[in-house]
């Protein structure tokens, strides 16, 4: 049987259509005269990739009828200046979600800045408090890429309970939260990282493999057992991910294409969580 394609692009379009209706309803019910929900995006410095990601998020806001408030700060910004900006956005009732684009310049204490974002506006799921609540199974917005992966797996009814998931990568925005989400969905989870020994043999045991390494096609097709579900969070120039997907298309049971798998789900999840925050704020 051919492998199931976990089509994040198609699902993200479905999500956007549904979110558009919810935004229309919010605007119609608004006391302030048709005011759209707002996602504030903060871009610090001049990293072109970050600028592109922020632009893509702004475009997605437009597609669903929301507004994005773009905050652009210079490369020389200090931690104190960024914290002050976040405080302002936290206090602004018109702003429903705050996205601080990662990475920020090295002189800034990124963790302190992430953690300054009010929990109710942490629609990108980057705060320690949000992570802790999510890990404990309490209500919190999940980190956008992992939450998007979980939504994609749920949409395609991929069984997680009792399965062995091997996550390669342990970053705060991807590997760690996706591992916790898979654990909460009753998978048995192995988390691998740069000091892991015998990585190919660990990956060979996986019913579900999540690639979150940041190195093009680092996880080889030969490491992946037939019938596994393959989730590739990576994206690199040339349209390849962190997993050697072409080598497993005929042997795995399901896979996320690159592009068109995890990437669009990240943005759609950010939009969904911002709409949810706006709905909560509207009561
Ligand atoms: P990251 O912060 O660089 O983390 C990479 C992780 O991979 C680290 O935990 C690192 O281990 C581990 N690693 C590095 N070399 C390894 C090795 N030889 N063996 C095993 N593990 C190794 O990256 P990230 O932000 O999590 O991103 C990971 C990938 O996802 C990237 O390709 C990125 O482009 C992609 N991404 C996509 C989206 C999206 O929207 N689609 C969003 C975010 C990221 P240590 O902890 O030991 O250093």
């Amino acid at each position: 049987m051919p492998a199931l394609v976990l089509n994040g692009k198609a699902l993200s379009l479905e999500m956007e259509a549904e979110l558009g209706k919810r935004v229309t309803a919010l605007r119609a019910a608004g006391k302030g005269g048709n005011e759209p929900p707002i996602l504030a995006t903060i871009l610090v410095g001049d990293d072109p990739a970050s600028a592109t990601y922020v632009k893509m998020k702004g475009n997605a806001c437009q597609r669903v009828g929301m507004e994005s408030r773009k905050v652009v700060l210079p490369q020389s910004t200090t931690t104190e200046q960024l914290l002050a900006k976040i405080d302002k956005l936290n206090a602004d009732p018109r702003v429903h979600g705050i996205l601080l684009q990662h990475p920020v310049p090295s002189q800034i204490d990124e963790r302190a800045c992430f953690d300054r974002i009010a929990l109710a506006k942490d629609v990108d799921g980057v705060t320690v408090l949000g992570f802790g609540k999510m890990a404990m199974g309490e209500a919190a917005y999940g980190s956008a890429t992992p939450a998007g992966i979980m939504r994609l797996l749920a949409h395609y009814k991929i069984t997680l309970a009792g399965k062995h998931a091997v996550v390669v990568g342990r970053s705060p925005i991807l590997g760690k939260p996706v591992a916790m989400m898979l654990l909460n969905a009753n998978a048995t989870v192995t988390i691998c990282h740069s000091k892991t020994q015998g990585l190919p043999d660990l990956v060979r045991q996986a019913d579900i493999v999540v690639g979150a390494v940041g190195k093009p096609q680092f996880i080889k097709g030969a490491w992946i057992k037939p019938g596994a579900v393959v989730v590739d969070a990576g994206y690199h120039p040339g349209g390849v991910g962190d997993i050697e997907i072409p080598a497993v298309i005929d042997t795995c049971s399901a896979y996320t294409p690159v592009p068109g798998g995890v990437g669009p789900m990240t943005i759609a999840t950010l939009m969904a969580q911002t709409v949810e925050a706006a709905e909560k704020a509207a009561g």
Side-chain angles (χ1 to χ4, degrees):
M1 215 167 65
L4 181 64
V5 180
L6 306 175
N7 189 336
K9 180 71 191 164
L11 179 57
S12 72
L13 291 175
E14 273 178 39
M15 285 171 68
E16 282 189 6
E18 190 256 340
L19 290 171
K21 289 182 195 153
R22 283 163 61 186
V23 171
T24 304
L26 269 171
R27 292 177 72 146
K31 296 185 218 82
N34 204 18
E35 284 175 336
I38 295 179
L39 171 69
T41 61
I42 311 176
L43 174 64
V44 191
D46 33 46
D47 174 37
S50 294
T52 303
Y53 291 136
V54 167
K55 194 168 169 211
M56 286 164 73
K57 289 161 189 172
N59 291 345
C61 283
Q62 269 192 348
R63 289 198 298 274
V64 301
M66 293 197 299
E67 205 173 281
S68 64
R69 184 179 298 173
K70 295 182 181 60
V71 176
V72 181
L73 298 171
Q75 183 76 24
S76 58
T77 302
T78 64
T79 300
E80 288 64 34
Q81 287 166 333
L82 183 50
L83 289 172
K85 183 54 80 179
I86 293 168
D87 286 342
K88 266 193 160 172
L89 295 171
N90 281 339
D92 185 341
R94 284 291 297 121
V95 171
H96 302 100
I98 300 173
L99 170 109
L100 171 58
Q101 185 63 44
H102 158 87
V104 294
S106 57
Q107 78 276 8
I108 293 177
D109 182 344
E110 184 178 80
R111 176 45 49 206
C113 293
F114 275 155
D115 284 337
R116 195 66 154 248
I117 297 172
L119 191 64
K121 299 188 182 188
D122 180 23
V123 292
D124 201 26
V126 293
T127 60
V128 163
L129 185 56
F131 175 87
K133 280 182 174 282
M134 177 280 290
M136 289 298 173
E138 290 182 24
Y141 299 116
S143 182
T145 303
I149 289 172
M150 297 305 286
R151 199 179 283 245
L152 190 59
L153 294 173
H155 179 79
Y156 284 98
K157 300 188 168 50
I158 301 293
T159 303
L160 301 176
K163 301 292 179 186
H164 185 189
V166 174
V167 178
V168 188
R170 58 172 169 182
S171 75
I173 59 155
L174 225 172
K176 267 183 201 159
V178 84
M180 286 302 136
M181 289 176 192
L182 288 163
L183 181 64
N184 287 345
N186 295 319
T188 301
V189 183
T190 300
I191 308 174
C192 304
H193 47 80
S194 65
K195 306 291 185 291
T196 295
Q197 294 186 1
L199 182 66
D201 286 337
L202 288 167
V203 173
R204 274 187 194 103
Q205 296 172 26
D207 302 308
I208 300 155
V209 183
V210 180
V213 202
K215 294 181 177 169
Q217 298 200 337
F218 174 81
I219 299 166
K220 302 301 171 204
W223 304 356
I224 295 173
K225 79 174 175 190
V229 173
V230 180
V231 177
D232 193 342
Y235 182 72
H236 305 279
V240 298
D242 290 353
I243 303 180
E244 200 188 5
I245 296 268
V248 294
I249 281 178
D250 293 330
T251 54
C252 69
S253 62
Y255 69 95
T256 57
V258 180
V262 172
M265 289 304 296
T266 299
I267 295 187
T269 301
L270 177 68
M271 296 301 117
Q273 297 192 148
T274 308
V275 172
E276 203 180 315
E279 288 170 343
K280 280 189 186 147

